[in-house]
Amino acid sequence: MKNQIKFLAVLFLMFTVIIGCKDKENYSKINSPLETVNSDLHKIVVKEKIDGGGYVYLNVDEDGNNYWMAIANMPIEVGNTYYYNGGMVMKDFISKHLDRTFEAITFAESVRDTEQIQATAEYSHEHNHSPEMEAPAVITEKIEKAKGGNSLEEVFKNKATLDKKSVIVKGKVVKVNNGIMDKNWVHIEDGSQFNNEKDLTITTQEIVKEGDIVTFKGVIVLNKDFGAGYVYDIVLEEATLLK
């Protein structure tokens, strides 16, 4: 799919993939709007780190300014200096995993140990401020559409007429981001495409993992604005799993 701007975290975790079937109560809830952070380079020193399930929470110092941030799990050394660009600030963020409320926390896609962004680690520009990262470039074998459902090719080709309508789609999970904006974000592919769109983003309360073959029923929404500049060309909203 074609959404046009970089993620953050939580993103753009946001934030990276949180894989695995976990109890919904283990994920965190956001109770207030997000605030954008400029995309200037941030240089931080890690003062403390806490494992938060799919995230690692960092207490950092940036030019004398102390704050908390969260990124997808990656090796982090306390005392080391790291760099990141962009990010989103979330206020009154409740981490159920930590049983803690952060007055404000910055979510970033990742941090790095050099100022320069490596070509392989560049932020995705395929999203309009989506609260998750771009799905990986994978080749998915053709998956037969569900009974009474639509292939992703049909969804993308006929999205104008499907807007605000309930549809059923079946595909392989290629990306998962859980507990972002009180939703789980799932990318699926079924081996079909239209105009280079092959990846459908789904918001749900269901728990799935990468590699699962799933069937979802939800409502197609076009040009969905989740606030804070997060806009999707197309998304399947509030989807439920069909057995």
Side-chain angles (χ1 to χ4, degrees):
M1 73 171 294
K2 213 169 181 181
N3 298 306
Q4 302 145 335
I5 192 174
K6 61 192 173 211
F7 172 119
L8 51 176
V10 189
L11 92 355
F12 22 24
L13 329 65
M14 200 98 329
F15 318 121
T16 343
V17 187
I18 303 173
I19 299 176
C21 212
K22 300 182 181 180
D23 189 284
K24 296 178 185 177
E25 293 301 311
N26 287 337
Y27 294 106
S28 302
K29 181 178 181 180
I30 298 165
N31 288 331
S32 63
L34 300 83
E35 295 181 358
T36 57
V37 173
N38 64 45
S39 59
D40 292 343
L41 176 69
H42 297 271
K43 179 181 179 181
I44 58 172
V45 177
V46 177
K47 299 297 183 181
E48 180 183 356
K49 72 173 181 178
I50 303 174
D51 178 25
Y55 302 112
V56 57
Y57 292 82
L58 307 175
N59 183 258
V60 304
D61 180 87
E62 181 177 355
D63 293 330
N65 180 30
N66 184 264
Y67 58 93
W68 283 94
M69 66 182 299
I71 60 175
N73 269 333
M74 63 180 292
I76 295 292
E77 293 293 333
V78 173
N80 282 8
T81 297
Y82 296 94
Y83 302 85
Y84 72 95
N85 292 75
M88 297 296 285
V89 176
M90 299 181 184
K91 294 185 176 180
D92 300 319
F93 177 79
I94 301 172
S95 170
K96 292 183 178 180
H97 187 92
L98 301 182
D99 190 22
R100 175 173 179 172
T101 299
F102 293 89
E103 182 178 345
I105 187 168
T106 297
F107 279 94
E109 180 180 356
S110 63
V111 297
R112 58 189 184 275
D113 55 13
T114 61
E115 290 190 29
Q116 189 173 15
I117 301 176
Q118 301 299 317
T120 57
E122 286 187 295
Y123 290 101
S124 165
H125 293 275
E126 293 299 315
H127 295 82
N128 278 350
H129 285 299
S130 61
E132 36 148 355
M133 292 176 65
E134 179 185 8
V138 297
I139 299 176
T140 301
E141 293 184 2
K142 195 69 176 281
I143 296 172
E144 185 178 356
K145 65 183 180 182
K147 183 178 181 180
N150 295 89
S151 68
L152 297 192
E153 178 184 8
E154 292 171 336
V155 169
F156 295 130
K157 184 177 182 179
N158 304 305
K159 60 185 178 183
T161 59
L162 292 176
D163 189 23
K164 304 297 190 302
K165 293 183 179 179
S166 177
V167 301
I168 296 173
V169 293
K170 181 179 180 180
K172 180 179 181 180
V173 177
V174 296
K175 194 84 165 181
V176 181
N177 292 283
N178 289 314
I180 300 172
M181 297 175 71
D182 206 20
K183 306 173 188 289
N184 298 330
W185 301 75
V186 179
H187 290 268
I188 68 167
E189 296 182 7
D190 68 357
S192 70
Q193 63 177 338
F194 178 74
N195 285 345
N196 294 321
E197 290 184 292
K198 63 177 182 177
D199 178 310
L200 180 65
T201 299
I202 298 168
T203 65
T204 182
Q205 298 299 316
E206 307 279 4
I207 301 293
V208 298
K209 63 181 183 296
E210 186 176 336
D212 285 350
I213 304 298
V214 296
T215 302
F216 275 107
K217 181 178 182 179
V219 176
I220 290 291
V221 179
L222 303 184
N223 301 315
K224 175 66 177 183
D225 188 347
F226 288 96
Y230 295 159
V231 180
Y232 272 89
D233 290 342
I234 180 172
V235 64
L236 187 70
E237 286 243 81
E238 303 303 329
T240 56
L241 277 175
L242 300 182
K243 307 300 182 183

